[in-house]
Amino acid sequence: MNLLQKIHTRMALLLVLSVLLSAAACSDDDPLADGGKDPNGPTSDIVDKVSQYEARKFDGQKRGDVFYEIYVRSFADSDGDGIGDLRGVTSKLDYLDDLGVAGIWLMPIYATGSEHGYDVVDYREVCRDYGSMEDMEQLIDEAHKRKIRVILDFVPNHTSLRCQWFREACLSTDNPYRGFYHFSTTKYDRWYPVTKGTTSYFYQGEFDRSMPDLNYGPAATCASSPTFKAMTDAAKFWIDKGVDGFRLDAVKHIYNNSTSDENPTFLNRFYTEINRYFQGRSALGFKEVYMVGECWMQTEQVAPYYKGLPALFDFDFWDKYLLYAIQNSHAKWFPKDMIDTERAFAAYRTDFIQASKLSNHDQNRTRSAIGGSEALSLQKAKIAAAVLLTASGSPYIYYGEEIGMLGDKARSDNGNTGDRNVRTPMLWAPSANDPVRPTWIKSVINNDTSVGSVKSQADNEKSIYNVYRKFLRLRNTYPALAQGDITLPEDFDVADAKNKQVMAFCRRSGEERLLVIHNVADHPSTYTINHAIKQPIADMNRVTVKRIDDMRHEVELPAYSSIIIEL
């Protein structure tokens, strides 16, 4: 064989080898076959199949600013001790990033005397069950790398009975910490003796005897109290660690009169102090600290609290309006209720943030609240998710809602009752192969059959998980869904009770205008659009749009279906 033949032979062998390597690189076994994505994780082609329409591809920007609530104890266990921990949360940041969330709210992670964490022993220490301060710092850093904000549950109303402040306060009437709490020689309702058998003085414990209430003095001068300084110093400690804000617990209870100006006054002082300190410290470039309050009251009572905070949870969104609409197939006036809610909030703060939600750690989970058979509750939970992620507001998702987890506080589940029933372990994979699933408690109702898991739902285009992924992507893709205003269709007739199972509303941002239509009933319906349209951009459950003429289209909506149309 001459030299030229040897060269040709070697070139041929290299070409064959190149083809073989290329084929291997594209095989299903190669972790880089799908652009570096985890081959066992969800894929974009599955989530795209949720809708038959696709007007614009997701560009990766999280415009929707959707937050995700995490109960660390039940989320993900990194070390096999049965308890979810901070490293477990860190290990799931890619999952949350892919889902499309822009922020995580961690329920209390401080040193505590309970499993729920709302009785704080030390605001500057991490609960040992959850890991170390280094673990917390790593979680914050890794979240920020993925452009995910981290906010901490912060409890301004009370501490633990075991908190060093309270122990000091009980030593004598002239102790420097005595003024941190409410004491009296008279026993009132929800006041408890300082020590067993002692009747000389009592302390206030609005929630429980194990959680004595903090005392900030008169609201008008609260910022000058030592208690206020101690609590704002604790919040600043976490700002220094890199957190992006706080969810303030039970803000209507800081002062006993929930409808007076006392609580909004305190909250304004607290927010102003922390926001001033936050300036220039944001790793993600945010100018303002994020602070959202839990004020579990109706809209007209919540609204004045916007004088104190920029963001508040809107409990009526689910409890009063959307849950009723879905349970009763009575949805037509839901958009009007949202517009009325916005007006009530705007009367106190024009740049208000309406933190919308379905369930949370204190409430029955969405599927259980809706009721019905497993199949029916799942369909209703899907339409609830679609409404949450297309309506006005700044949505929060409670962990496990995206896979349809169940939980009823009034029922017993494997011996668990009350709050435990809605805080059971996250289901990441089938039970036989789920090493990170916490085991500190077990659930019977949340299993491979009734719920499934993230892994089992990821490749099922009809799963509730892929409904959440799809509608999160839509909210993140379209500015009109992310932060646009909400209006009623031009031909909306408030007195017309026909077709009440269908809600329709417009979302607009700049030149972008979208019409959103949801059928919340178990039977088909039709909706007539008396307006020119550009194109459908997404749907759920195969909605059909038929053109009658340029200014009229007939929309055929199957049961529990949704469609978004660009106008």
Side-chain angles (χ1 to χ4, degrees):
M1 183 180 292
N2 59 37
L3 179 60
L4 185 59
Q5 288 175 320
K6 288 180 178 180
I7 292 173
H8 286 167
T9 300
R10 288 179 180 177
M11 289 178 66
L13 287 172
L14 288 171
L15 179 60
V16 171
L17 181 59
S18 175
V19 171
L20 290 172
L21 289 172
S22 179
C26 295
S27 72
D28 291 338
D29 295 328
D30 182 20
L32 300 180
D34 189 25
K37 296 177 182 177
D38 178 0
N40 295 318
T43 56
S44 59
D45 61 327
I46 294 294
V47 73
D48 288 344
K49 289 179 181 178
V50 173
S51 170
Q52 62 183 314
Y53 308 108
E54 189 71 27
R56 190 188 306 168
K57 291 291 185 181
F58 176 47
D59 62 5
Q61 292 191 45
K62 298 173 185 175
R63 298 174 178 85
D65 211 26
V66 178
F67 275 75
Y68 187 94
E69 179 189 358
I70 297 175
Y71 181 38
V72 176
R73 184 172 295 269
S74 287
F75 195 60
D77 174 16
S78 72
D79 58 11
D81 67 353
I83 298 174
D85 47 47
L86 296 171
R87 287 188 178 185
V89 176
T90 303
S91 73
K92 295 301 180 182
L93 287 174
D94 282 341
Y95 164 81
L96 296 169
D97 188 34
D98 175 81
L99 188 61
V101 301
I104 55 175
W105 153 25
L106 302 180
M107 288 173 62
I109 51 87
Y110 318 106
T112 181
S114 69
E115 66 187 39
H116 57 72
Y118 286 97
D119 55 338
V120 181
V121 172
D122 192 325
Y123 287 90
R124 301 188 187 208
E125 285 189 13
V126 172
C127 173
R128 292 181 182 177
D129 285 345
Y130 293 168
S132 65
M133 186 61 74
E134 290 74 19
D135 294 335
M136 186 65 205
E137 292 168 348
Q138 182 185 25
L139 168 56
I140 295 169
D141 289 343
E142 291 297 324
H144 287 165
K145 288 178 183 178
R146 294 160 177 82
K147 307 299 182 185
I148 295 175
R149 284 194 277 186
V150 179
I151 66 170
L152 302 184
D153 223 321
F154 198 78
V155 189
N157 177 69
H158 53 259
T159 70
S160 167
L161 199 69
R162 295 166 50 198
C163 178
Q164 188 61 32
W165 300 346
F166 186 71
R167 292 180 182 229
E168 291 280 342
C170 291
L171 293 178
S172 65
T173 57
D174 59 354
N175 188 279
Y177 288 95
R178 187 72 170 189
F180 274 46
Y181 299 89
H182 298 277
F183 291 98
S184 174
T185 55
T186 303
K187 187 182 186 308
Y188 303 102
D189 184 38
R190 296 181 184 177
W191 288 64
Y192 305 95
V194 169
T195 57
K196 188 176 182 180
T198 300
T199 57
S200 56
Y201 54 90
F202 305 85
Y203 67 91
Q204 184 180 26
E206 182 71 19
F207 284 91
D208 187 87
R209 68 181 306 135
S210 66
M211 296 182 282
D213 288 3
L214 287 165
N215 174 26
Y216 296 95
T221 57
C222 65
S224 63
S225 73
T227 316
F228 184 91
K229 185 178 188 310
M231 291 296 283
T232 51
D233 282 351
K236 292 173 183 177
F237 170 85
W238 289 107
I239 296 296
D240 289 341
K241 292 292 182 184
V243 303
D244 305 284
F246 303 94
R247 175 263 187 188
L248 300 187
D249 179 62
V251 297
K252 73 175 185 177
H253 293 289
I254 299 171
Y255 288 84
N256 285 331
N257 190 342
S258 62
T259 58
S260 74
D261 281 339
E262 291 173 299
N263 289 317
T265 298
F266 169 87
L267 294 169
N268 177 268
R269 304 288 194 278
F270 189 86
Y271 173 77
T272 300
E273 177 70 17
I274 300 305
N275 194 44
R276 185 183 298 119
Y277 188 79
F278 181 81
Q279 305 299 315
R281 297 172 184 267
S282 171
L284 297 178
F286 288 98
K287 295 181 179 179
E288 307 291 326
V289 69
Y290 186 95
M291 199 173 289
V292 57
E294 180 212 18
C295 189
W296 200 341
M297 296 191 291
Q298 294 188 346
T299 299
E300 59 273 15
Q301 297 168 315
V302 171
Y305 278 73
Y306 277 107
K307 292 186 292 184
L309 290 176
L312 291 159
F313 284 104
D314 179 9
F315 283 87
D316 275 356
F317 178 95
W318 173 245
D319 297 349
K320 184 176 180 180
Y321 300 123
L322 185 53
L323 178 59
Y324 176 86
I326 295 173
Q327 284 181 323
N328 297 279
S329 300
H330 199 284
K332 181 175 180 178
W333 293 273
F334 175 83
K336 182 180 181 301
D337 292 329
M338 291 303 96
I339 293 169
D340 290 344
T341 296
E342 287 191 343
R343 287 172 179 163
F345 293 163
Y348 291 91
R349 191 184 199 102
T350 56
D351 60 344
F352 68 90
I353 299 174
Q354 175 194 6
S356 52
K357 49 163 279 303
L358 302 181
S359 74
N360 70 7
H361 63 282
D362 284 326
Q363 299 176 284
N364 293 338
R365 284 192 175 271
T366 301
R367 283 181 66 189
S368 295
I370 289 173
S373 66
E374 287 183 359
L376 183 59
S377 67
L378 188 59
Q379 289 302 312
K380 291 183 176 182
K382 289 178 183 179
I383 199 68
V387 175
L388 173 71
L389 295 172
T390 56
S392 55
S394 296
Y396 275 71
I397 299 169
Y398 184 39
Y399 84 95
E401 290 291 276
E402 75 273 26
I403 59 171
M405 284 177 61
L406 298 153
D408 186 337
K409 293 177 65 171
R411 297 188 178 184
S412 177
D413 176 18
N414 199 34
N416 302 311
T417 56
D419 288 341
R420 275 191 165 193
N421 258 5
V422 298
R423 304 177 190 179
T424 57
M426 181 69 173
L427 310 177
W428 294 105
S431 57
N433 187 29
D434 195 356
V436 298
R437 183 187 302 187
T439 57
W440 71 278
I441 55 172
K442 296 184 183 297
S443 173
V444 172
I445 61 170
N446 289 309
N447 56 55
D448 293 346
T449 301
S450 63
V451 174
S453 64
V454 171
K455 184 175 178 61
S456 66
Q457 291 192 28
D459 293 328
N460 177 3
E461 65 190 68
K462 295 183 179 180
S463 69
I464 187 171
Y465 169 68
N466 277 311
V467 168
Y468 267 93
R469 278 189 79 224
K470 180 61 180 179
F471 279 88
L472 265 163
R473 286 193 174 204
L474 290 167
R475 194 175 188 93
N476 283 329
T477 299
Y478 290 89
L481 293 179
Q483 64 263 354
D485 60 16
I486 181 172
T487 58
L488 296 169
E490 294 170 0
D491 59 351
F492 179 84
D493 184 352
V494 69
D496 183 5
K498 296 177 182 178
N499 217 21
K500 66 180 183 179
Q501 69 269 26
V502 175
M503 71 169 74
F505 51 89
C506 296
R507 304 293 312 278
R508 180 179 57 190
S509 178
E511 296 299 314
E512 184 177 271
R513 188 181 180 196
L514 305 177
L515 174 64
V516 182
I517 311 170
H518 300 287
N519 177 16
V520 305
D522 62 358
H523 55 275
S525 188
T526 59
Y527 181 86
T528 301
I529 302 175
N530 295 306
H531 196 286
I533 70 170
K534 291 182 180 179
Q535 60 182 335
I537 66 171
D539 74 333
M540 178 174 70
N541 288 345
R542 298 299 186 261
V543 179
T544 303
V545 181
K546 293 183 177 180
R547 179 182 178 278
I548 300 174
D549 56 46
D550 287 348
M551 297 300 293
R552 218 156 64 107
H553 293 78
E554 196 78 5
V555 182
E556 296 182 356
L557 297 146
Y560 303 117
S561 63
S562 305
I563 189 166
I564 306 170
I565 298 171
E566 188 174 9
L567 299 178

